[in-house]
Amino acid sequence: MRLLRQILESFRFAWQALRSNLLRTTLSLLGVTVGIFAIIAVFTLVDSLERNIRGSLNFLGSNVLYVQKWPFEFSGEYRWWKYFQWPEPTYKDYRALAERLENARAVAAMSGRDGVTIKRANSSIAGRILGVTYEYNQTSEVAIEQGRYFTPQEQEGARNVVIIGYEIGETLFPGQDPIGQAVKIGGLNFVVIGVQEKRGTGLVEFSRTPPDRRCMIPYGTYAKLFQSFNPSITIVIKGYEQDEGLQDLEGEIRGLMRSRRSLKPAQDDNFAINRPEAIAKAIGGIFAVLSVAGWVIGSFSILVGGFGIANIMFVSVKERTNIIGIQKSLGAKNYFILFQFLFEAVLLSLVGGLVGILLVYLLSFVQLGSLDIQLSIGNIMLGLGVSSIIGVISGILPAFTAARLDPVIAIRAK
């Protein structure tokens, strides 16, 4: 209890010392404030960017592989002249994989076309049409706000039914229930059976058409209307959770595709098996560089702030030498004097850190396009931790100097 009381007394002395020199205190904490602001601001922006981008990629699904013509490559030279010669995946490839893959939970095919006009009466909107097979909602996220997904009969019969995007529904059916009503796509009438949830615009999109302007129709219907314009399809394959890294599934896909294309053992693949994680991994590398940049920028400011705090603490020791002598003559222990000045340095640094964190919090109210900035508890704790460490490092030498003063000499000091 005595030790605790002395520690609290040291805090009180430190607080009084900071209050008595308010201007000096303010100038001293500016370096720490700028440093903590730089580090936490960069970390907060990086975290917000990563969260937004990963949210944009959620629709791709998890444990999913994509069989496509063009591979995902984010390092080195992109050999487009080589990939250009590869054949497009076909609907027959999809059927073969769907029937023969043993390590797949679901296999779907999809193909899309931008710039298609969706009409209703005198209203129209340009959007993206996506033709999908029935299993698509088992491989990728299809969030439906109203209505329902396709039935197997609608898919097999290539019926003229459509699931429209949120913005399409708002534009063509303002204040109305679109379910069961008709829209015109490619000169044909389609019955609306569902409306997708509002997604907004993410930072990563694979089409020039916003997500809320996209609609889905059965693949058979799409093939009749648009396949002659865009014969390419993407085969989406979802694996089981037990397949660590989807290695078994990827090997099985590669074997079947090579067999279908009659590739010899010495020949390279002429198709791509893409993973959505490759995009996240590439983005993660960029975020790592940004984080290092934040540390470097902030460290210079914190270094200046630390020297400023150390300088102020040495001045404080000089100014209060007489008081230190009186305290020691009355029985104050060395650790009490040490804590008194060390707590003052830590408190000064913490105040600077808190101001920096407050500035980042205010920054979170600024709207940067579709980016939602959020200051996390982890980044707040990081800022406070770094501030405390800087305070200890900056104040330890002045505190030791004060604690080792001879009481007789200190009392005589002027």
Side-chain angles (χ1 to χ4, degrees), residues 19-233:
R19 289 183 60 189
S20 63
N21 299 282
L22 193 57
L23 179 60
R24 188 174 70 185
T25 299
T26 303
L27 294 175
S28 301
L29 59 83
L30 280 178
V32 176
T33 296
V34 173
I36 295 299
F37 172 77
I39 292 174
I40 303 305
V42 170
F43 275 36
T44 299
L45 287 172
V46 166
D47 289 348
S48 300
L49 278 168
E50 188 169 7
R51 182 172 55 254
N52 193 294
I53 289 173
R54 291 189 184 280
S56 300
L57 297 175
N58 280 344
F59 74 96
L60 295 175
S62 59
N63 289 335
V64 170
L65 298 175
Y66 288 80
V67 178
Q68 297 171 295
K69 174 178 178 177
W70 301 92
F72 295 166
E73 288 186 3
F74 303 95
S75 61
E77 186 178 14
Y78 194 79
R79 296 168 294 176
W80 62 268
W81 58 89
K82 175 183 177 181
Y83 309 139
F84 181 77
Q85 302 175 33
W86 289 1
E88 297 278 1
T90 64
Y91 187 79
K92 290 182 178 179
D93 291 331
Y94 153 69
R95 292 305 309 169
L97 293 177
E99 292 170 3
R100 299 174 62 184
L101 282 176
E102 297 180 358
N103 293 297
R105 175 182 292 180
V107 183
M110 67 174 183
S111 186
R113 178 175 171 81
D114 286 305
V116 178
T117 301
I118 302 101
K119 297 181 180 180
R120 176 181 178 263
N122 295 324
S123 300
S124 65
I125 184 172
R128 176 177 174 82
I129 302 298
L130 192 66
V132 300
T133 57
Y134 177 71
E135 299 81 9
Y136 182 74
N137 69 334
Q138 301 173 37
T139 61
S140 304
E141 180 183 359
V142 181
I144 297 179
E145 185 177 74
Q146 292 178 261
R148 58 176 176 82
Y149 188 68
F150 306 111
T151 64
Q153 291 77 18
E154 289 168 339
Q155 282 283 352
E156 292 169 6
R159 306 278 177 80
N160 288 7
V161 290
V162 61
I163 301 173
I164 60 176
Y166 182 86
E167 188 176 344
I168 296 174
E170 290 290 300
T171 302
L172 301 184
F173 302 95
Q176 303 177 43
D177 182 5
I179 305 302
Q181 301 200 49
V183 295
K184 186 164 287 190
I185 302 172
L188 297 177
N189 287 325
F190 282 74
V191 177
V192 177
I193 62 170
V195 180
Q196 298 178 62
E197 291 182 1
K198 185 175 182 179
R199 278 183 50 195
T201 303
L203 293 180
V204 176
E205 296 294 345
F206 296 90
S207 167
R208 63 177 181 268
T209 305
D212 293 327
R213 288 191 180 190
R214 301 172 192 171
C215 53
M216 293 187 296
I217 62 177
Y219 181 80
T221 311
Y222 176 88
K224 289 189 297 185
L225 287 174
F226 305 111
Q227 200 70 49
S228 59
F229 300 101
N230 182 18
S232 173
I233 72 166

Side-chain angles (χ1 to χ4, degrees), residues 309-319 394 397-399 401:
I309 292 173
N311 183 53
I312 292 302
M313 294 311 301
F314 277 117
V315 172
S316 296
V317 172
K318 185 71 174 176
E319 290 178 345
S394 302
L397 189 56
T401 302

